Amino acid sequence: HQDPCGSATRTMNVAPKTQPMRGITRALLSAAGRRTSLDTATLPKALIDIEGTPLIAHVLRQLHAGGILHIVLVVSNHAAAIVAEVERLRLSLPGLHIEIVDISATFSEI
C-alpha cells in the first residue's frame, strides 16, 4: 500500500509487545589497521595515552558500562602489546568475555 506521501510501504511482522526487548550485548571492535601518523614504531593507536589511560581501555570500559558482555577484538600491528593491555584490563571488568582475532599474518601479506 502507499503512505500519505505517496511512497510504497510494506508491513513487517514485529514481536508482540509482551516480549521484552533484548539489549545489545555483543560488539565487534577493530584495533587493527595499517600504521598511520598516530602510530609510532613501538605504540599503536589503541595504546595511545589519553589522560593516563590507553585509548582501548576507555573504549572497553564504556562498552562494558553500556551492557556489552562479549567483545570480538580484531588486532594486527603490535598485537601482543594490545592483547597484554586488554588482559590486564579485563580483570577489572567482571562478566566481560573478550575474544581476540589476530589478523597480523594475513594483514602483512596485503
Side-chain angles (χ1 to χ4, degrees), residues 6-30:
S7 59
T9 61
R10 67 179 190 180
T11 305
M12 295 175 48
N13 293 328
V14 294
K17 291 187 179 187
T18 57
Q19 292 181 350
M21 291 287 290
R22 293 174 60 191
I24 297 171
T25 60
R26 295 175 178 231
L28 173 65
L29 180 60
S30 177

Side-chain angles (χ1 to χ4, degrees), residues 5-88:
C5 296
S7 59
T9 61
R10 67 179 190 180
T11 305
M12 295 175 48
N13 293 328
V14 294
K17 291 187 179 187
T18 57
Q19 292 181 350
M21 291 287 290
R22 293 174 60 191
I24 297 171
T25 60
R26 295 175 178 231
L28 173 65
L29 180 60
S30 177
R34 297 185 188 273
R35 287 185 57 192
T36 68
S37 59
L38 291 176
D39 294 294
T40 68
T42 59
L43 191 69
K45 288 181 286 294
L47 297 180
I48 290 174
D49 185 278
I50 298 176
E51 297 182 1
T53 303
L55 174 61
I56 196 155
H58 288 284
V59 173
L60 292 176
R61 283 189 185 118
Q62 288 300 311
L63 288 170
H64 185 255
I68 298 298
L69 301 174
H70 183 169
I71 296 173
V72 176
L73 177 64
V74 182
V75 297
S76 64
N77 292 329
H78 302 287
I82 294 170
V83 169
E85 176 60 28
V86 168
E87 288 295 328
R88 185 192 64 74

